[in-house]
PDB file of all heavy atoms in Angstrom:
ATOM      1  N   MET A  95      20.056  34.342  69.580  1.00 98.00           N
ATOM      2  CA  MET A  95      19.599  32.986  69.367  1.00 98.00           C
ATOM      3  C   MET A  95      20.792  32.100  68.999  1.00 98.00           C
ATOM      4  O   MET A  95      21.467  32.354  68.004  1.00 98.00           O
ATOM      5  CB  MET A  95      18.537  32.923  68.280  1.00 98.00           C
ATOM      6  CG  MET A  95      17.969  31.542  67.987  1.00 98.00           C
ATOM      7  SD  MET A  95      16.925  31.037  69.339  1.00 98.00           S
ATOM      8  CE  MET A  95      16.456  29.397  68.758  1.00 98.00           C
ATOM      9  N   PHE A  96      21.039  31.075  69.835  1.00 98.00           N
ATOM     10  CA  PHE A  96      22.114  30.095  69.560  1.00 98.00           C
ATOM     11  C   PHE A  96      21.476  28.949  68.768  1.00 98.00           C
ATOM     12  O   PHE A  96      20.427  28.417  69.142  1.00 98.00           O
ATOM     13  CB  PHE A  96      22.636  29.571  70.903  1.00 98.00           C
ATOM     14  CG  PHE A  96      23.581  28.412  70.765  1.00 98.00           C
ATOM     15  CD1 PHE A  96      24.947  28.642  70.502  1.00 98.00           C
ATOM     16  CD2 PHE A  96      23.164  27.090  70.925  1.00 98.00           C
ATOM     17  CE1 PHE A  96      25.826  27.574  70.382  1.00 98.00           C
ATOM     18  CE2 PHE A  96      24.040  26.037  70.822  1.00 98.00           C
ATOM     19  CZ  PHE A  96      25.388  26.279  70.545  1.00 98.00           C
ATOM     20  N   VAL A  97      22.117  28.605  67.662  1.00 98.00           N
ATOM     21  CA  VAL A  97      21.656  27.469  66.831  1.00 98.00           C
ATOM     22  C   VAL A  97      22.802  26.472  66.693  1.00 98.00           C
ATOM     23  O   VAL A  97      23.975  26.878  66.663  1.00 98.00           O
ATOM     24  CB  VAL A  97      21.125  27.920  65.442  1.00 98.00           C
ATOM     25  CG1 VAL A  97      19.895  28.786  65.603  1.00 98.00           C
ATOM     26  CG2 VAL A  97      22.176  28.639  64.621  1.00 98.00           C
ATOM     27  N   ASN A  98      22.472  25.193  66.652  1.00 97.00           N
ATOM     28  CA  ASN A  98      23.521  24.153  66.579  1.00 97.00           C
ATOM     29  C   ASN A  98      23.209  23.050  65.618  1.00 97.00           C
ATOM     30  O   ASN A  98      23.854  21.998  65.647  1.00 97.00           O
ATOM     31  CB  ASN A  98      23.770  23.579  67.990  1.00 97.00           C
ATOM     32  CG  ASN A  98      22.505  23.023  68.597  1.00 97.00           C
ATOM     33  OD1 ASN A  98      21.591  22.611  67.885  1.00 97.00           O
ATOM     34  ND2 ASN A  98      22.435  23.009  69.893  1.00 97.00           N
ATOM     35  N   GLY A  99      22.245  23.241  64.723  1.00 94.00           N
ATOM     36  CA  GLY A  99      21.846  22.194  63.786  1.00 94.00           C
ATOM     37  C   GLY A  99      21.652  22.769  62.408  1.00 94.00           C
ATOM     38  O   GLY A  99      22.488  23.511  61.893  1.00 94.00           O
ATOM     39  N   GLN A 100      20.533  22.421  61.794  1.00 92.00           N
ATOM     40  CA  GLN A 100      20.269  22.831  60.406  1.00 92.00           C
ATOM     41  C   GLN A 100      19.985  24.313  60.222  1.00 92.00           C
ATOM     42  O   GLN A 100      19.942  24.796  59.105  1.00 92.00           O
ATOM     43  CB  GLN A 100      19.151  21.980  59.811  1.00 92.00           C
ATOM     44  CG  GLN A 100      19.542  20.524  59.641  1.00 92.00           C
ATOM     45  CD  GLN A 100      20.675  20.321  58.634  1.00 92.00           C
ATOM     46  OE1 GLN A 100      21.172  21.209  57.999  1.00 92.00           O
ATOM     47  NE2 GLN A 100      21.124  19.088  58.527  1.00 92.00           N
ATOM     48  N   ALA A 101      19.816  25.069  61.300  1.00 95.00           N
ATOM     49  CA  ALA A 101      19.648  26.524  61.168  1.00 95.00           C
ATOM     50  C   ALA A 101      21.013  27.221  61.059  1.00 95.00           C
ATOM     51  O   ALA A 101      21.062  28.401  60.741  1.00 95.00           O
ATOM     52  CB  ALA A 101      18.871  27.075  62.361  1.00 95.00           C
ATOM     53  N   MET A 102      22.104  26.487  61.220  1.00 96.00           N
ATOM     54  CA  MET A 102      23.419  27.072  61.055  1.00 96.00           C
ATOM     55  C   MET A 102      23.700  27.378  59.580  1.00 96.00           C
ATOM     56  O   MET A 102      23.014  26.875  58.700  1.00 96.00           O
ATOM     57  CB  MET A 102      24.509  26.115  61.604  1.00 96.00           C
ATOM     58  CG  MET A 102      24.417  25.992  63.111  1.00 96.00           C
ATOM     59  SD  MET A 102      25.785  25.086  63.937  1.00 96.00           S
ATOM     60  CE  MET A 102      26.556  24.110  62.737  1.00 96.00           C
ATOM     61  N   SER A 103      24.714  28.159  59.328  1.00 94.00           N
ATOM     62  CA  SER A 103      25.120  28.542  57.969  1.00 94.00           C
ATOM     63  C   SER A 103      25.225  27.311  57.097  1.00 94.00           C
ATOM     64  O   SER A 103      25.880  26.318  57.460  1.00 94.00           O
ATOM     65  CB  SER A 103      26.469  29.239  57.978  1.00 94.00           C
ATOM     66  OG  SER A 103      26.423  30.377  58.798  1.00 94.00           O
ATOM     67  N   GLY A 104      24.548  27.322  55.958  1.00 88.00           N
ATOM     68  CA  GLY A 104      24.574  26.204  55.027  1.00 88.00           C
ATOM     69  C   GLY A 104      23.542  25.143  55.278  1.00 88.00           C
ATOM     70  O   GLY A 104      23.341  24.265  54.462  1.00 88.00           O
ATOM     71  N   GLY A 105      22.862  25.208  56.409  1.00 89.00           N
ATOM     72  CA  GLY A 105      21.818  24.239  56.735  1.00 89.00           C
ATOM     73  C   GLY A 105      20.504  24.571  56.086  1.00 89.00           C
ATOM     74  O   GLY A 105      20.251  25.710  55.720  1.00 89.00           O
ATOM     75  N   GLU A 106      19.626  23.568  55.980  1.00 89.00           N
ATOM     76  CA  GLU A 106      18.365  23.793  55.260  1.00 89.00           C
ATOM     77  C   GLU A 106      17.392  24.709  55.993  1.00 89.00           C
ATOM     78  O   GLU A 106      16.441  25.192  55.383  1.00 89.00           O
ATOM     79  CB  GLU A 106      17.714  22.481  54.910  1.00 89.00           C
ATOM     80  CG  GLU A 106      17.226  21.673  56.097  1.00 89.00           C
ATOM     81  CD  GLU A 106      16.641  20.332  55.674  1.00 89.00           C
ATOM     82  OE1 GLU A 106      17.324  19.571  54.960  1.00 89.00           O
ATOM     83  OE2 GLU A 106      15.519  20.064  56.093  1.00 89.00           O
ATOM     84  N   LEU A 107      17.600  24.970  57.266  1.00 93.00           N
ATOM     85  CA  LEU A 107      16.743  25.900  58.021  1.00 93.00           C
ATOM     86  C   LEU A 107      17.363  27.292  58.160  1.00 93.00           C
ATOM     87  O   LEU A 107      16.726  28.195  58.724  1.00 93.00           O
ATOM     88  CB  LEU A 107      16.414  25.385  59.399  1.00 93.00           C
ATOM     89  CG  LEU A 107      15.643  24.056  59.478  1.00 93.00           C
ATOM     90  CD1 LEU A 107      15.354  23.710  60.950  1.00 93.00           C
ATOM     91  CD2 LEU A 107      14.363  24.127  58.697  1.00 93.00           C
ATOM     92  N   ASN A 108      18.573  27.498  57.618  1.00 95.00           N
ATOM     93  CA  ASN A 108      19.227  28.784  57.745  1.00 95.00           C
ATOM     94  C   ASN A 108      18.475  29.929  57.090  1.00 95.00           C
ATOM     95  O   ASN A 108      18.569  31.046  57.528  1.00 95.00           O
ATOM     96  CB  ASN A 108      20.669  28.703  57.238  1.00 95.00           C
ATOM     97  CG  ASN A 108      21.458  29.979  57.548  1.00 95.00           C
ATOM     98  OD1 ASN A 108      21.693  30.793  56.631  1.00 95.00           O
ATOM     99  ND2 ASN A 108      21.814  30.181  58.809  1.00 95.00           N
ATOM    100  N   ASP A 109      17.660  29.607  56.097  1.00 96.00           N
ATOM    101  CA  ASP A 109      16.864  30.667  55.447  1.00 96.00           C
ATOM    102  C   ASP A 109      15.884  31.303  56.437  1.00 96.00           C
ATOM    103  O   ASP A 109      15.459  32.447  56.246  1.00 96.00           O
ATOM    104  CB  ASP A 109      16.146  30.151  54.217  1.00 96.00           C
ATOM    105  CG  ASP A 109      15.144  29.077  54.538  1.00 96.00           C
ATOM    106  OD1 ASP A 109      15.364  28.243  55.430  1.00 96.00           O
ATOM    107  OD2 ASP A 109      14.094  29.007  53.840  1.00 96.00           O
ATOM    108  N   SER A 110      15.546  30.639  57.526  1.00 96.00           N
ATOM    109  CA  SER A 110      14.693  31.195  58.559  1.00 96.00           C
ATOM    110  C   SER A 110      15.382  32.366  59.280  1.00 96.00           C
ATOM    111  O   SER A 110      14.718  33.155  59.936  1.00 96.00           O
ATOM    112  CB  SER A 110      14.331  30.148  59.612  1.00 96.00           C
ATOM    113  OG  SER A 110      13.621  29.089  59.036  1.00 96.00           O
ATOM    114  N   LEU A 111      16.699  32.442  59.157  1.00 97.00           N
ATOM    115  CA  LEU A 111      17.475  33.490  59.786  1.00 97.00           C
ATOM    116  C   LEU A 111      17.966  34.527  58.787  1.00 97.00           C
ATOM    117  O   LEU A 111      18.890  35.297  59.068  1.00 97.00           O
ATOM    118  CB  LEU A 111      18.652  32.879  60.560  1.00 97.00           C
ATOM    119  CG  LEU A 111      18.240  31.957  61.726  1.00 97.00           C
ATOM    120  CD1 LEU A 111      19.471  31.196  62.263  1.00 97.00           C
ATOM    121  CD2 LEU A 111      17.576  32.752  62.813  1.00 97.00           C
ATOM    122  N   PHE A 116      24.276  37.719  61.788  1.00 98.00           N
ATOM    123  CA  PHE A 116      25.190  36.678  62.289  1.00 98.00           C
ATOM    124  C   PHE A 116      26.099  37.334  63.289  1.00 98.00           C
ATOM    125  O   PHE A 116      26.781  38.301  63.021  1.00 98.00           O
ATOM    126  CB  PHE A 116      25.982  36.078  61.114  1.00 98.00           C
ATOM    127  CG  PHE A 116      26.962  35.037  61.517  1.00 98.00           C
ATOM    128  CD1 PHE A 116      26.552  33.811  62.007  1.00 98.00           C
ATOM    129  CD2 PHE A 116      28.336  35.303  61.432  1.00 98.00           C
ATOM    130  CE1 PHE A 116      27.477  32.842  62.381  1.00 98.00           C
ATOM    131  CE2 PHE A 116      29.275  34.347  61.801  1.00 98.00           C
ATOM    132  CZ  PHE A 116      28.817  33.100  62.276  1.00 98.00           C
ATOM    133  N   GLY A 118      28.423  35.406  65.134  1.00 97.00           N
ATOM    134  CA  GLY A 118      29.648  34.643  65.271  1.00 97.00           C
ATOM    135  C   GLY A 118      29.471  33.206  65.696  1.00 97.00           C
ATOM    136  O   GLY A 118      28.400  32.795  66.094  1.00 97.00           O
ATOM    137  N   ARG A 119      30.564  32.480  65.591  1.00 97.00           N
ATOM    138  CA  ARG A 119      30.589  31.080  66.048  1.00 97.00           C
ATOM    139  C   ARG A 119      30.884  31.125  67.545  1.00 97.00           C
ATOM    140  O   ARG A 119      31.769  31.831  67.994  1.00 97.00           O
ATOM    141  CB  ARG A 119      31.666  30.301  65.315  1.00 97.00           C
ATOM    142  CG  ARG A 119      31.395  30.189  63.828  1.00 97.00           C
ATOM    143  CD  ARG A 119      32.367  29.237  63.170  1.00 97.00           C
ATOM    144  NE  ARG A 119      32.410  29.388  61.747  1.00 97.00           N
ATOM    145  CZ  ARG A 119      31.433  29.159  60.885  1.00 97.00           C
ATOM    146  NH1 ARG A 119      30.264  28.805  61.345  1.00 97.00           N
ATOM    147  NH2 ARG A 119      31.578  29.314  59.602  1.00 97.00           N
ATOM    148  N   VAL A 120      30.124  30.343  68.322  1.00 98.00           N
ATOM    149  CA  VAL A 120      30.273  30.312  69.745  1.00 98.00           C
ATOM    150  C   VAL A 120      30.113  28.879  70.261  1.00 98.00           C
ATOM    151  O   VAL A 120      29.760  27.964  69.482  1.00 98.00           O
ATOM    152  CB  VAL A 120      29.234  31.229  70.442  1.00 98.00           C
ATOM    153  CG1 VAL A 120      29.459  32.678  70.066  1.00 98.00           C
ATOM    154  CG2 VAL A 120      27.832  30.783  70.111  1.00 98.00           C
ATOM    155  N   PHE A 128      24.733  16.741  74.159  1.00 96.00           N
ATOM    156  CA  PHE A 128      24.294  17.022  72.786  1.00 96.00           C
ATOM    157  C   PHE A 128      23.828  15.711  72.163  1.00 96.00           C
ATOM    158  O   PHE A 128      24.520  14.706  72.250  1.00 96.00           O
ATOM    159  CB  PHE A 128      25.492  17.583  72.033  1.00 96.00           C
ATOM    160  CG  PHE A 128      25.196  18.258  70.729  1.00 96.00           C
ATOM    161  CD1 PHE A 128      24.047  18.995  70.538  1.00 96.00           C
ATOM    162  CD2 PHE A 128      26.100  18.144  69.686  1.00 96.00           C
ATOM    163  CE1 PHE A 128      23.799  19.639  69.330  1.00 96.00           C
ATOM    164  CE2 PHE A 128      25.871  18.765  68.489  1.00 96.00           C
ATOM    165  CZ  PHE A 128      24.723  19.503  68.304  1.00 96.00           C
ATOM    166  N   PRO A 136      19.554  17.757  65.769  1.00 96.00           N
ATOM    167  CA  PRO A 136      20.185  17.628  67.087  1.00 96.00           C
ATOM    168  C   PRO A 136      19.389  18.356  68.155  1.00 96.00           C
ATOM    169  O   PRO A 136      18.483  19.147  67.869  1.00 96.00           O
ATOM    170  CB  PRO A 136      21.536  18.318  66.863  1.00 96.00           C
ATOM    171  CG  PRO A 136      21.173  19.463  65.940  1.00 96.00           C
ATOM    172  CD  PRO A 136      20.115  18.877  65.047  1.00 96.00           C
ATOM    173  N   VAL A 148      29.059  22.746  73.611  1.00 96.00           N
ATOM    174  CA  VAL A 148      28.500  22.414  72.287  1.00 96.00           C
ATOM    175  C   VAL A 148      28.763  23.576  71.329  1.00 96.00           C
ATOM    176  O   VAL A 148      28.431  24.723  71.625  1.00 96.00           O
ATOM    177  CB  VAL A 148      26.978  22.171  72.403  1.00 96.00           C
ATOM    178  CG1 VAL A 148      26.381  21.867  71.037  1.00 96.00           C
ATOM    179  CG2 VAL A 148      26.707  21.012  73.378  1.00 96.00           C
ATOM    180  N   PRO A 149      29.332  23.289  70.157  1.00 97.00           N
ATOM    181  CA  PRO A 149      29.588  24.380  69.162  1.00 97.00           C
ATOM    182  C   PRO A 149      28.326  24.731  68.418  1.00 97.00           C
ATOM    183  O   PRO A 149      27.443  23.921  68.190  1.00 97.00           O
ATOM    184  CB  PRO A 149      30.623  23.745  68.226  1.00 97.00           C
ATOM    185  CG  PRO A 149      30.386  22.264  68.323  1.00 97.00           C
ATOM    186  CD  PRO A 149      29.885  22.006  69.705  1.00 97.00           C
ATOM    187  N   GLY A 150      28.269  25.996  68.017  1.00 97.00           N
ATOM    188  CA  GLY A 150      27.156  26.482  67.219  1.00 97.00           C
ATOM    189  C   GLY A 150      27.394  27.892  66.748  1.00 97.00           C
ATOM    190  O   GLY A 150      28.541  28.376  66.706  1.00 97.00           O
ATOM    191  N   GLU A 151      26.320  28.544  66.352  1.00 98.00           N
ATOM    192  CA  GLU A 151      26.375  29.909  65.845  1.00 98.00           C
ATOM    193  C   GLU A 151      25.388  30.788  66.594  1.00 98.00           C
ATOM    194  O   GLU A 151      24.355  30.310  67.045  1.00 98.00           O
ATOM    195  CB  GLU A 151      26.029  29.948  64.351  1.00 98.00           C
ATOM    196  CG  GLU A 151      27.019  29.214  63.502  1.00 98.00           C
ATOM    197  CD  GLU A 151      26.632  29.188  62.011  1.00 98.00           C
ATOM    198  OE1 GLU A 151      25.460  29.489  61.657  1.00 98.00           O
ATOM    199  OE2 GLU A 151      27.518  28.810  61.229  1.00 98.00           O
ATOM    200  N   LEU A 152      25.713  32.057  66.708  1.00 98.00           N
ATOM    201  CA  LEU A 152      24.859  33.008  67.405  1.00 98.00           C
ATOM    202  C   LEU A 152      24.311  34.024  66.409  1.00 98.00           C
ATOM    203  O   LEU A 152      25.077  34.526  65.570  1.00 98.00           O
ATOM    204  CB  LEU A 152      25.681  33.699  68.496  1.00 98.00           C
ATOM    205  CG  LEU A 152      24.950  34.473  69.552  1.00 98.00           C
ATOM    206  CD1 LEU A 152      24.049  33.519  70.383  1.00 98.00           C
ATOM    207  CD2 LEU A 152      25.939  35.182  70.480  1.00 98.00           C
ATOM    208  N   TYR A 153      23.032  34.296  66.531  1.00 98.00           N
ATOM    209  CA  TYR A 153      22.385  35.258  65.658  1.00 98.00           C
ATOM    210  C   TYR A 153      21.599  36.275  66.479  1.00 98.00           C
ATOM    211  O   TYR A 153      21.050  35.913  67.531  1.00 98.00           O
ATOM    212  CB  TYR A 153      21.381  34.565  64.707  1.00 98.00           C
ATOM    213  CG  TYR A 153      22.055  33.769  63.629  1.00 98.00           C
ATOM    214  CD1 TYR A 153      22.499  32.466  63.859  1.00 98.00           C
ATOM    215  CD2 TYR A 153      22.297  34.333  62.393  1.00 98.00           C
ATOM    216  CE1 TYR A 153      23.127  31.744  62.869  1.00 98.00           C
ATOM    217  CE2 TYR A 153      22.903  33.584  61.380  1.00 98.00           C
ATOM    218  CZ  TYR A 153      23.345  32.304  61.654  1.00 98.00           C
ATOM    219  OH  TYR A 153      23.996  31.589  60.680  1.00 98.00           O
ATOM    220  N   LEU A 164      11.400  30.851  62.291  1.00 96.00           N
ATOM    221  CA  LEU A 164      12.252  29.763  62.781  1.00 96.00           C
ATOM    222  C   LEU A 164      11.470  28.755  63.640  1.00 96.00           C
ATOM    223  O   LEU A 164      11.495  27.573  63.348  1.00 96.00           O
ATOM    224  CB  LEU A 164      13.425  30.325  63.571  1.00 96.00           C
ATOM    225  CG  LEU A 164      14.433  29.292  64.108  1.00 96.00           C
ATOM    226  CD1 LEU A 164      15.061  28.500  62.963  1.00 96.00           C
ATOM    227  CD2 LEU A 164      15.498  29.937  64.957  1.00 96.00           C
ATOM    228  N   GLU A 168      10.740  24.081  63.835  1.00 95.00           N
ATOM    229  CA  GLU A 168      11.483  23.255  64.791  1.00 95.00           C
ATOM    230  C   GLU A 168      10.658  22.025  65.143  1.00 95.00           C
ATOM    231  O   GLU A 168       9.434  22.050  65.184  1.00 95.00           O
ATOM    232  CB  GLU A 168      11.778  24.065  66.051  1.00 95.00           C
ATOM    233  CG  GLU A 168      12.773  25.185  65.840  1.00 95.00           C
ATOM    234  CD  GLU A 168      14.181  24.682  65.569  1.00 95.00           C
ATOM    235  OE1 GLU A 168      14.491  23.508  65.824  1.00 95.00           O
ATOM    236  OE2 GLU A 168      15.015  25.510  65.129  1.00 95.00           O
ATOM    237  N   ASP A 207      33.356  18.855  66.433  1.00 90.00           N
ATOM    238  CA  ASP A 207      32.818  19.823  65.493  1.00 90.00           C
ATOM    239  C   ASP A 207      31.295  19.858  65.544  1.00 90.00           C
ATOM    240  O   ASP A 207      30.658  20.429  64.629  1.00 90.00           O
ATOM    241  CB  ASP A 207      33.291  19.533  64.070  1.00 90.00           C
ATOM    242  CG  ASP A 207      34.760  19.801  63.877  1.00 90.00           C
ATOM    243  OD1 ASP A 207      35.310  20.616  64.622  1.00 90.00           O
ATOM    244  OD2 ASP A 207      35.379  19.165  62.995  1.00 90.00           O
ATOM    245  N   GLY A 208      30.704  19.248  66.522  1.00 90.00           N
ATOM    246  CA  GLY A 208      29.251  19.326  66.706  1.00 90.00           C
ATOM    247  C   GLY A 208      28.456  18.593  65.661  1.00 90.00           C
ATOM    248  O   GLY A 208      28.878  17.583  65.093  1.00 90.00           O
ATOM    249  N   TRP A 209      27.257  19.140  65.366  1.00 92.00           N
ATOM    250  CA  TRP A 209      26.310  18.507  64.438  1.00 92.00           C
ATOM    251  C   TRP A 209      26.880  18.323  63.048  1.00 92.00           C
ATOM    252  O   TRP A 209      26.810  17.258  62.475  1.00 92.00           O
ATOM    253  CB  TRP A 209      25.041  19.356  64.392  1.00 92.00           C
ATOM    254  CG  TRP A 209      23.999  18.860  63.432  1.00 92.00           C
ATOM    255  CD1 TRP A 209      23.575  19.483  62.317  1.00 92.00           C
ATOM    256  CD2 TRP A 209      23.250  17.624  63.537  1.00 92.00           C
ATOM    257  NE1 TRP A 209      22.586  18.712  61.707  1.00 92.00           N
ATOM    258  CE2 TRP A 209      22.365  17.588  62.439  1.00 92.00           C
ATOM    259  CE3 TRP A 209      23.230  16.582  64.450  1.00 92.00           C
ATOM    260  CZ2 TRP A 209      21.500  16.545  62.226  1.00 92.00           C
ATOM    261  CZ3 TRP A 209      22.341  15.540  64.236  1.00 92.00           C
ATOM    262  CH2 TRP A 209      21.489  15.522  63.150  1.00 92.00           C
ATOM    263  N   LEU A 210      27.506  19.337  62.515  1.00 88.00           N
ATOM    264  CA  LEU A 210      28.035  19.253  61.136  1.00 88.00           C
ATOM    265  C   LEU A 210      29.170  18.226  61.076  1.00 88.00           C
ATOM    266  O   LEU A 210      29.237  17.471  60.119  1.00 88.00           O
ATOM    267  CB  LEU A 210      28.472  20.621  60.637  1.00 88.00           C
ATOM    268  CG  LEU A 210      27.355  21.662  60.541  1.00 88.00           C
ATOM    269  CD1 LEU A 210      27.899  22.990  60.063  1.00 88.00           C
ATOM    270  CD2 LEU A 210      26.229  21.177  59.644  1.00 88.00           C
ATOM    271  N   GLY A 211      30.019  18.161  62.067  1.00 90.00           N
ATOM    272  CA  GLY A 211      31.080  17.144  62.092  1.00 90.00           C
ATOM    273  C   GLY A 211      30.496  15.761  62.228  1.00 90.00           C
ATOM    274  O   GLY A 211      30.946  14.806  61.610  1.00 90.00           O
ATOM    275  N   LEU A 213      27.555  14.724  61.182  1.00 89.00           N
ATOM    276  CA  LEU A 213      26.969  14.334  59.892  1.00 89.00           C
ATOM    277  C   LEU A 213      28.091  14.013  58.883  1.00 89.00           C
ATOM    278  O   LEU A 213      28.001  13.047  58.143  1.00 89.00           O
ATOM    279  CB  LEU A 213      26.075  15.417  59.341  1.00 89.00           C
ATOM    280  CG  LEU A 213      24.785  15.690  60.109  1.00 89.00           C
ATOM    281  CD1 LEU A 213      24.010  16.823  59.483  1.00 89.00           C
ATOM    282  CD2 LEU A 213      23.927  14.422  60.218  1.00 89.00           C
ATOM    283  N   ARG A 225      17.622  16.694  58.321  1.00 34.00           N
ATOM    284  CA  ARG A 225      16.977  17.921  58.686  1.00 34.00           C
ATOM    285  C   ARG A 225      18.007  18.991  59.003  1.00 34.00           C
ATOM    286  O   ARG A 225      18.852  18.941  59.759  1.00 34.00           O
ATOM    287  CB  ARG A 225      16.069  17.704  59.890  1.00 34.00           C
ATOM    288  CG  ARG A 225      15.375  18.960  60.320  1.00 34.00           C
ATOM    289  CD  ARG A 225      13.975  18.625  60.681  1.00 34.00           C
ATOM    290  NE  ARG A 225      13.310  19.826  60.519  1.00 34.00           N
ATOM    291  CZ  ARG A 225      12.951  20.712  61.443  1.00 34.00           C
ATOM    292  NH1 ARG A 225      13.034  20.497  62.479  1.00 34.00           N
ATOM    293  NH2 ARG A 225      12.417  21.818  61.263  1.00 34.00           N
TER     294      ARG A 225
END
Side-chain angles (χ1 to χ4, degrees):
M95 181 71 182
F96 172 83
V97 297
N98 56 27
Q100 292 296 356
M102 292 188 340
S103 302
E106 66 183 53
L107 298 182
N108 187 254
D109 63 325
S110 298
L111 296 170
F116 178 69
R119 296 189 197 297
V120 296
F128 195 36
V148 177
E151 296 177 346
L152 194 63
Y153 288 84
L164 182 61
E168 292 290 345
D207 290 335
W209 177 246
L210 297 179
L213 293 179
R225 180 139 203 261

